[in-house]
Amino acid sequence: MREGAQVTQDAAGHRYEVFHTDCPARDVVDHVTSRWGVWVLISLRNSDLRFYELRDSIQGVSEKMLAQTLRALVADGLVRREVEPTTPPQVTYGLTEFGQDVGEPLTDLFDRITRRLPSRDPG
């Protein structure tokens, strides 16, 4: 296979063949670009949020789907989950450095799209 966008190396020299179904980078891309993954990363771009705040900021997401999405993004190292030992426990989510790095172009894309859309009449 010839070197190109589909084959990359990380700093430690590991090769990633992103078009191969077993590539771990592909799993992260799938989670980030999932129906709700993009919205979680964009919602967390400015501040940490508790679960219910995140759910309320992303209209249309069910609690089950939000929980699944957060679990995947936490496992990928994009989102951190902090639990305060209170009754009931308070869980806060925020972006890791990796999550901020990945979320930056998504935020840029979102901002570009919203700047170009025609104005909507509130009526």
Side-chain angles (χ1 to χ4, degrees):
M1 181 179 287
R2 135 183 113 71
E3 293 290 325
Q6 66 275 11
V7 179
T8 59
Q9 274 186 317
D10 68 2
H14 298 106
R15 291 173 55 90
Y16 291 101
E17 296 184 29
V18 296
F19 290 116
H20 194 279
T21 57
D22 293 338
C23 180
R26 186 174 176 161
D27 289 337
V28 174
V29 170
D30 286 345
H31 295 151
V32 168
T33 60
S34 70
R35 180 170 184 185
W36 303 112
V38 170
W39 299 114
V40 167
L41 293 176
I42 289 173
S43 293
L44 293 173
R45 72 182 181 247
N46 294 323
S47 65
D48 296 353
L49 296 173
R50 293 185 51 199
F51 183 87
Y52 75 89
E53 293 170 322
L54 196 50
R55 182 200 62 214
D56 291 348
S57 74
I58 306 171
Q59 293 185 1
V61 67
S62 69
E63 287 191 15
K64 176 183 175 183
M65 287 309 303
L66 180 57
Q68 287 178 356
T69 302
L70 285 167
R71 217 173 293 126
L73 295 174
V74 167
D76 292 337
L78 296 162
V79 172
R80 62 181 155 64
R81 181 180 188 267
E82 296 174 4
V83 181
E84 292 183 40
T86 57
T87 306
Q90 291 185 348
V91 182
T92 304
Y93 295 91
L95 294 180
T96 63
E97 186 178 326
F98 181 33
Q100 291 170 353
D101 194 37
V102 169
E104 198 171 306
L106 296 175
T107 299
D108 185 46
L109 176 65
F110 177 77
D111 291 343
R112 286 173 187 245
I113 290 170
T114 56
R115 274 196 313 267
R116 294 291 189 123
L117 287 176
S119 296
R120 290 182 124 183
D121 231 352

